[in-house]
Amino acid sequence: MDFHRFKSNKMIYILLLIFFAFQIFGIFMLGKYEQPGESGVMLISSMNESQFIQVMMSQIPLWPLIYIAVFVVYFYMSEHNSGFYKNYISMKRARMYTVISKILIAGLFTLLTFIVMIVADMIGRSIFFNHAMIGDGGYFAKLLIGQFLLHWAFSIVILCISIISKSLIASIVVGFVLSLNVFGMIVTALESIIDDVHLSSFLIVNTILSARDFDNINDLVHVASVSIVFIVIFSFIAIRYKIKEDLK
């Protein structure tokens, strides 16, 4: 049922089209206003796709997260606001299944977002940078898998917030705040005055923002562990809350 709603929802295609257009526009702006850097500093226009994605993922706001947040909140709240959830809320097993299905749909939209981003990058870089090198295929695959898992984990966090808050506006605001990494910056600032505390490196958005060497086993383990922990914990919270939710 959720997959049918996903396929037939025009909002999804509009979001992906807007993301595609802005991604190409961003590449155009980078090419137009790029300035020669310091000696030894690689220009963005000469980077391969793996390097380019790392640079784009290290900038605030994280636009893919914003689009993912908007989709997840819209997809969940459209069902909730229509009152359709009342048809199954009396069945606890159905409550669990509906959360799992939305987690999978969030993963599907995240995957489509990455596909659109890569296609837009290749087209934009070919036009405005005169090349679209991918770089080492193995490294590129590890980078995409790692970033996909992190972004999927983020989408589950937003889904969990939407289920708990039951408010479209509140969920969207939280999604924007997280995409701007406000919470991560606050935690990082607090760490600077407390010795031997490094919790910020395990936050989902901070992990996305941090450049990683995906040929380094420690970085791979860090990305995998952060994404899996967030996926498991927030999926569990969302399911448990939905099971205990009262009919209103």
Side-chain angles (χ1 to χ4, degrees):
M1 180 184 66
D2 278 337
F3 183 65
H4 175 72
R5 282 207 302 134
F6 179 83
K7 290 192 302 179
S8 60
N9 199 317
K10 295 180 180 179
M11 177 69 172
I12 295 166
Y13 304 105
I14 293 173
L15 279 175
L16 292 174
L17 182 60
I18 293 173
F19 179 63
F20 177 84
F22 272 93
Q23 191 73 9
I24 290 185
F25 179 73
I27 295 172
F28 164 73
M29 295 299 290
L30 286 172
K32 184 175 181 63
Y33 294 104
E34 184 178 42
Q35 299 293 331
E38 298 177 2
S39 178
V41 177
M42 180 179 291
L43 295 174
I44 293 179
S45 59
S46 63
M47 292 179 176
N48 61 39
E49 183 63 9
S50 297
Q51 295 165 329
F52 184 75
I53 288 176
Q54 289 269 55
V55 169
M56 298 305 291
M57 291 294 183
S58 66
Q59 299 180 20
I60 297 176
L62 289 165
W63 289 106
L65 294 187
I66 293 176
Y67 286 91
I68 289 170
V70 170
F71 164 75
V72 171
V73 174
Y74 169 79
F75 192 78
Y76 176 77
M77 293 307 301
S78 62
E79 177 187 87
H80 186 273
N81 290 338
S82 70
F84 180 80
Y85 70 100
K86 295 178 182 179
N87 294 322
Y88 61 77
I89 200 168
S90 61
M91 301 177 287
K92 290 188 176 181
R93 190 175 295 275
R95 298 187 193 195
M96 177 182 69
Y97 289 156
T98 190
V99 176
I100 293 174
S101 70
K102 288 174 177 60
I103 289 172
L104 295 177
I105 291 296
L108 178 58
F109 183 80
T110 302
L111 178 61
L112 290 177
T113 301
F114 268 71
I115 292 173
V116 169
M117 179 182 70
I118 293 168
V119 171
D121 285 352
M122 300 300 284
I123 294 174
R125 291 171 62 237
S126 296
I127 296 173
F128 303 114
F129 295 167
N130 297 317
H131 76 85
M133 296 181 298
I134 291 178
D136 180 75
Y139 186 91
F140 183 61
K142 288 184 285 188
L143 168 65
L144 289 181
I145 292 171
Q147 287 292 348
F148 167 76
L149 289 175
L150 290 171
H151 283 68
W152 187 22
F154 174 84
S155 73
I156 296 173
V157 172
I158 299 299
L159 175 62
C160 183
I161 292 169
S162 301
I163 292 173
I164 294 172
S165 71
K166 302 185 184 69
S167 170
L168 187 147
I169 299 299
S171 301
I172 288 290
V173 169
V174 172
F176 271 94
V177 169
L178 291 177
S179 300
L180 292 170
N181 200 33
V182 174
F183 182 70
M185 289 187 287
I186 292 173
V187 174
T188 302
L190 291 175
E191 283 182 348
S192 65
I193 59 177
I194 303 175
D195 294 332
D196 301 323
V197 177
H198 305 286
L199 294 176
S200 62
S201 63
F202 296 97
L203 297 176
I204 190 73
V205 179
N206 273 5
T207 304
I208 294 172
L209 282 166
S210 301
R212 301 283 173 180
D213 180 2
F214 285 87
D215 280 335
N216 184 303
I217 187 64
N218 292 327
D219 282 345
L220 283 174
V221 170
H222 182 87
V223 168
S225 59
V226 169
S227 57
I228 291 172
V229 166
F230 270 80
I231 288 171
V232 171
I233 290 176
F234 282 90
S235 294
F236 176 79
I237 294 173
I239 291 171
R240 291 298 299 174
Y241 190 89
K242 193 67 177 179
I243 289 175
K244 295 179 179 295
E245 185 179 43
D246 293 329
L247 179 61
K248 293 182 181 179

